[in-house]
Amino acid sequence: MKELEKHAHNPAMGLMILALLGIAIVGSAAAQQPQMAGRGGPQAPPTVAGAVRNFYNGIKDNVTRSGDKMPEEFYGLRPGTQQEVRTFGQHLAHIANFNYLWCAQAKGEKNPNAGINLEKTLTTKDQFMKALRASYDYCDGAYSALTDANSGEVITITQENGRQTQQTRMGLLTLNVVHNEEVYGSIVTTLRIKNIVPPSSEPRPPAQPQQGQQQEPRLQ
């Protein structure tokens, strides 16, 4: 599968990257504004790298909690009879495969999962969840090290077919977030088949209005 090429030409991913580029322009300018340090000073302005890190942490939480919520008996469930469609467990393994692939390249390291297709080697819920969490633990370092200063560094990456191409560090780590989000959509479908509420749709406590503000009614 030419995963990188497929996502590079995905219109939805393109729109998201364009949006992030827009944030980058505004965020970089804001980051240059003087800021006061210490208690009582204004809050430090947000950064583009911080935004990407937040997107990553959000989808990591949703995917991991989805795996926890699905009973093991349904890890082999696929939404249809087509055998080319991944099972619930294989979706988690697919995310883990590409977490390792793209985060290793963002780090400039050898992929610790190279040569292993987790979609074909894992069989139990415990195995799938252990591999998923390990892949996120590995990716955490790549996202923690991302800054506005190094986000534009151009790195040479090798695709699954052996072809080499160039991408910015920010672009590659954004691609990984978009891929996680894409697969999460399929995970949500499988959860819903079994009447399980996805983590991102769980009821949230109503926000407490600030003093002097009237709380608006929530649309259902």
Side-chain angles (χ1 to χ4, degrees):
M1 183 195 312
K2 298 180 180 179
E3 197 73 25
L4 184 57
E5 291 181 336
K6 181 184 75 172
H7 290 287
H9 293 87
N10 187 307
M13 193 214 74
L15 287 174
M16 182 170 183
I17 290 181
L18 285 175
L20 283 171
L21 288 175
I23 296 172
I25 296 173
V26 177
S28 295
Q32 296 175 17
Q33 296 177 358
Q35 49 185 292
M36 292 175 58
R39 181 176 297 180
Q43 184 178 13
T47 65
V48 183
V52 173
R53 196 156 36 246
N54 287 340
F55 296 151
Y56 163 73
N57 286 324
I59 189 58
K60 176 177 73 171
D61 182 65
N62 282 336
V63 172
T64 304
R65 290 171 58 208
S66 294
D68 287 334
K69 294 186 77 168
M70 180 66 97
E72 181 164 13
E73 61 186 295
F74 300 132
Y75 261 61
L77 178 67
R78 54 170 53 91
T81 59
Q82 305 95 328
Q83 291 302 302
E84 68 270 19
V85 177
R86 294 184 179 91
T87 65
F88 181 87
Q90 287 172 337
H91 281 307
L92 303 182
H94 182 68
I95 287 176
N97 279 337
F98 281 90
N99 279 347
Y100 278 121
L101 175 66
W102 287 333
C103 288
Q105 297 189 95
K107 288 175 157 185
E109 300 176 355
K110 181 180 178 180
N111 182 356
N113 192 56
I116 303 173
N117 186 349
L118 297 172
E119 295 181 48
K120 296 182 178 180
T121 60
L122 307 181
T123 57
T124 68
K125 176 176 179 176
D126 182 66
Q127 290 173 348
F128 281 112
M129 292 303 298
K130 182 177 180 180
L132 179 69
R133 287 192 169 96
S135 75
Y136 280 129
D137 288 344
Y138 181 74
C139 272
D140 285 349
Y143 285 91
S144 295
L146 183 66
T147 66
D148 284 2
N150 68 22
S151 63
E153 292 179 0
V154 177
I155 55 180
T156 300
I157 60 177
T158 303
Q159 300 173 208
E160 283 185 299
N161 60 8
R163 179 186 172 211
Q164 289 191 327
T165 186
Q166 290 187 317
Q167 180 60 274
T168 62
R169 191 180 312 280
M170 173 82 75
L172 184 58
L173 291 176
T174 300
L175 176 63
N176 189 53
V177 171
V178 174
H179 180 249
N180 269 250
E181 294 279 7
E182 180 183 353
V183 180
Y184 178 62
S186 298
I187 290 173
V188 166
T189 299
T190 314
L191 287 171
R192 288 293 190 182
I193 289 174
K194 289 302 176 182
N195 297 315
I196 298 173
V197 178
S200 53
S201 297
E202 291 174 346
R204 292 172 174 76
Q208 297 297 322
Q210 296 181 1
Q211 187 175 3
Q213 285 186 335
Q214 183 175 359
Q215 186 174 6
E216 296 182 359
R218 183 179 179 182
L219 297 178
Q220 299 294 326

